[in-house]
């Protein structure tokens, strides 16, 4: 590969590595939370 | 290479490769469906379309992980080079499996209502600020679009017409596509499937792919450090390669010109020749190849060039840049100025004892071509 392409590869993974790590951590954090329970529509109406 | 045009350049080797990959894919999907229907029973039973969708989706992402590991593994260890040979076939198959996954998902979840399936898929869920209800399907669709572009251009026709650099840039889109797919799985399947196997597998796969690319990239960056000028050089146009004995027979040693490309310096028939390290096909690292049948052979796809003039053997017409070489004070030196592609250069003959201070100057055979590239 040419030098510019090699640099583009290296740069791409320097950007993607933390991005993927943050994405996975966020997804795991969300997964560990208890499932959200939306109040029934009737109750929402009462709350308003 | 350059002779004739065929829609698909089949060979026996490629047919066998494709048949094996297809058999593995079918076996994976069959095994997944069989185990899934046994594991999820009773109240947790899953319908066949959903099992098939999960099998196809997980198969596509496993294949994509394999594809993404091949490149850096081949950079780190030559033993993985044969796997790289048919990587494009693997990529096209991955796209087809992903397309099948998307088709089953769209038909099952979005095709039976009054709303258009595409509108149902892309337009209804707009919870972009919620991790729990994020429209993960959109990430999958974007990744599939990228994979379509790559699969459609995975052919030498496009490689030739776009040029190796532009073609490679397009195919680097696989990296953002991979990030999109990780998001698609992490915000989709991982949020609904409460098992432990899926998250562990995804994290391990992402860690492996990322680590391999970072390690290979770091190693490449080290190789890009410029070669030192030889002690004996009176001008700075020559780069030191080292003693001829340091270059294995029919192999090369690569050096990097300051601000320039790598140069592959080959030892063959007790002589030294130098060409660019960049193959004319896909930019493969020629310096990691070897001389076979008198020709420098690219380790990626087997394209060949004669070491003395950088031209492919007839009937092929590709050519690469060459460099002048000499042996001075027992050390191989290469001129940093690239000659026009296909310029014949007399190889430097290795003396019986390389400790001699005698110079073996090697001018191009055709002085008319001896001008630097501009």
């Amino acid at each position: 590969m040419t030098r510019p392409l090699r640099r583009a590869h290296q740069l791409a993974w320097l950007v993607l590595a933390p991005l993927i790590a943050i994405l996975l951590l966020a997804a795991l954090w969300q997964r560990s939370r208890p499932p959200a329970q939306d109040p029934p529509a009737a109750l929402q109406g009462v709350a308003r | 290479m350059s002779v004739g045009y065929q829609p698909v350049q089949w060979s026996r080797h490629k047919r066998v490769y494709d048949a094996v990959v297809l058999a593995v894919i079918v076996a994976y999907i069959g095994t997944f469906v069989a185990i899934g229907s046994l594991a999820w029973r009773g109240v947790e039973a899953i319908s066949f379309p959903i099992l098939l969708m999960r099998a196809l989706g997980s198969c596509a992402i496993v294949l994509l992980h394999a594809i993404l590991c091949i490149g850096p593994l081949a950079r780190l260890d030559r033993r993985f080079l044969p796997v790289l040979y048919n990587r494009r076939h693997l990529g096209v198959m991955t796209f087809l499996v992903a397309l099948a996954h998307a088709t089953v998902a769209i038909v099952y979840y979005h095709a039976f209502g009054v709303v258009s399936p595409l509108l149902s898929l892309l337009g209804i869920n707009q919870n972009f600020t919620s991790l729990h209800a994020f429209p993960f399907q959109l990430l999958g669709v974007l990744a599939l679009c990228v994979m379509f572009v790559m699969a459609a251009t995975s052919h030498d026709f496009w490689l030739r017409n776009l040029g190796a650099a532009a073609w490679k840039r397009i195919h680097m889109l696989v990296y953002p596509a991979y990030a999109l797919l990780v998001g698609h799985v992490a915000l989709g399947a991982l949020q609904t499937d409460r098992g432990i196997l899926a998250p562990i597998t995804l994290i391990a796969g992402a860690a492996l792919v990322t680590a391999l690319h970072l390690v290979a990239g770091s190693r490449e960056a080290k190789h890009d450090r410029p070669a030192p000028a030889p002690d004996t050089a009176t001008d700075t146009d020559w780069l030191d390669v080292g003693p001829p004995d340091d270059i294995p027979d029919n192999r090369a040693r690569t050096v990097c010109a300051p601000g320039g490309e790598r140069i592959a310096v080959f030892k063959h028939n007790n002589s030294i020749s130098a060409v660019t390290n960049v193959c004319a096909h896909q930019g493969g690292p020629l310096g990691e190849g070897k001389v076979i049948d008198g020709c420098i052979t690219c380790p990626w796809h087997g394209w060949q060039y004669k070491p003395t003039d950088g031209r492919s053997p007839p009937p092929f017409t590709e050519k690469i840049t060459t460099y002048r070489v000499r042996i001075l004070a027992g050390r191989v030196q290469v001129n940093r100025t690239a000659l026009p592609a296909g310029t014949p250069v007399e190889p430097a003959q290795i003396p019986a004892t390389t400790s001699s201070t005698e110079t073996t100057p090697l001018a191009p055979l055709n002085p008319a071509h001896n001008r630097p590239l501009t």
Side-chain angles (χ1 to χ4, degrees):
Chain A
M1 269 186 293
T2 58
R3 180 188 285 252
L5 276 175
R6 281 197 300 276
R7 285 193 175 165
H9 267 88
Q10 291 155 8
L11 190 63
W13 281 101
L14 285 176
V15 172
L16 282 178
L19 200 68
I20 289 172
I22 290 169
L23 184 63
L24 285 171
L25 284 174
L28 287 178
W29 172 75
Q30 173 61 42
R31 194 173 184 264
S32 66
R33 298 174 69 196
Q37 291 187 2
D38 293 331
L43 283 181
Q44 287 184 42
V46 169
R48 276 192 218 109
Chain B
M1 292 169 79
S2 55
V3 172
Y5 171 79
Q6 294 175 323
V8 179
Q9 293 176 341
W10 291 104
S11 63
R12 187 180 174 278
H13 174 80
K14 288 181 179 177
R15 282 197 183 94
V16 169
Y17 179 91
D18 288 353
V20 169
V21 173
L22 199 60
V24 169
I25 289 172
V26 170
Y28 175 91
I29 292 169
T31 308
F32 189 101
V33 170
I35 293 177
S37 50
L38 290 174
W40 292 302
R41 283 175 153 186
V43 289
E44 292 184 337
I46 297 174
S47 65
F48 176 74
I50 294 182
L51 260 181
L52 183 63
M53 185 188 70
R54 289 185 179 183
L56 289 164
S58 61
C59 182
I61 200 145
V62 167
L63 284 171
L64 188 61
H65 275 87
I67 290 169
L68 286 171
C69 287
I70 289 173
L73 280 174
R75 310 289 308 144
L76 295 169
D77 192 329
R78 283 172 193 263
R79 284 173 295 180
F80 289 97
L81 279 169
V83 194
L84 194 135
Y85 184 70
N86 281 330
R87 189 170 51 169
R88 278 188 283 173
H89 288 230
L90 202 56
V92 173
M93 286 197 190
T94 302
F95 165 70
L96 293 175
V97 173
L99 183 66
H101 163 78
T103 305
V104 173
I106 290 172
V107 168
Y108 189 76
Y109 286 113
H110 303 279
F112 298 111
V114 290
V115 183
S116 149
L118 277 181
L119 182 63
S120 169
L121 176 72
L122 303 174
I124 288 180
N125 183 358
Q126 297 189 347
N127 293 310
F128 292 104
T129 54
S130 162
L131 274 178
H132 177 65
F134 191 87
F136 65 94
Q137 299 92 335
L138 187 63
L139 304 178
V141 170
L142 287 173
L144 193 66
C145 291
V146 173
M147 290 169 79
F148 168 73
V149 172
M150 290 191 300
T153 55
S154 282
H155 191 283
D156 279 348
F157 171 82
W158 289 105
L159 186 54
R160 174 173 294 275
N161 285 288
L162 294 169
W167 187 88
K168 205 74 186 169
R169 281 193 182 94
I170 289 174
H171 282 245
M172 277 176 62
L173 289 173
V174 70
Y175 302 147
Y178 174 68
L180 287 169
L181 281 177
V182 169
H184 175 70
V185 177
L187 300 178
L190 287 200
Q191 301 303 320
T192 51
D193 177 18
R194 309 308 293 179
I196 195 73
L197 187 63
I200 287 178
T201 313
L202 184 65
I203 290 168
L208 179 68
V209 167
T210 309
L212 280 174
H213 277 90
L214 289 176
V215 170
S218 160
R219 194 163 153 179
E220 292 290 310
K222 281 179 191 164
H223 285 179
D224 274 337
R225 288 177 190 156
D231 297 337
T232 52
T234 53
D235 58 62
T236 55
D237 282 346
W238 294 87
L239 303 169
D240 185 46
V241 182
D245 290 346
D246 281 4
I247 308 175
D249 280 338
N250 296 319
R251 291 275 188 184
R253 187 165 190 184
T254 54
V255 291
C256 193
E261 283 298 341
R262 290 181 196 167
I263 303 167
V265 184
F266 277 89
K267 181 157 97 175
H268 59 101
N269 290 336
N270 208 38
S271 62
I272 303 287
S273 294
V275 297
T276 176
N277 191 50
V278 182
C279 178
H281 181 217
Q282 282 189 26
L286 290 174
E288 293 171 28
K290 54 187 174 183
V291 177
I292 299 174
D293 298 331
C295 288
I296 295 166
T297 306
C298 180
W300 280 10
H301 300 98
W303 281 38
Q304 291 191 305
Y305 310 91
K306 287 179 283 177
T308 50
D309 60 8
R311 292 173 184 266
S312 294
F316 306 109
T317 57
E318 286 78 18
K319 50 190 179 182
I320 52 174
T321 52
T322 52
Y323 293 83
R324 285 178 290 163
V325 285
R326 68 184 183 187
I327 298 173
L328 188 63
R331 296 184 74 84
V332 176
Q333 297 175 8
V334 60
N335 194 289
R336 58 185 287 183
T337 306
L339 300 171
T343 303
V345 177
E346 186 78 20
Q349 298 300 324
I350 301 172
T353 53
T354 53
S355 57
S356 164
T357 53
E358 187 180 346
T359 305
T360 315
L362 295 156
L365 295 178
N366 183 351
H369 289 161
N370 185 12
R371 58 181 185 274
L373 286 173
T374 54

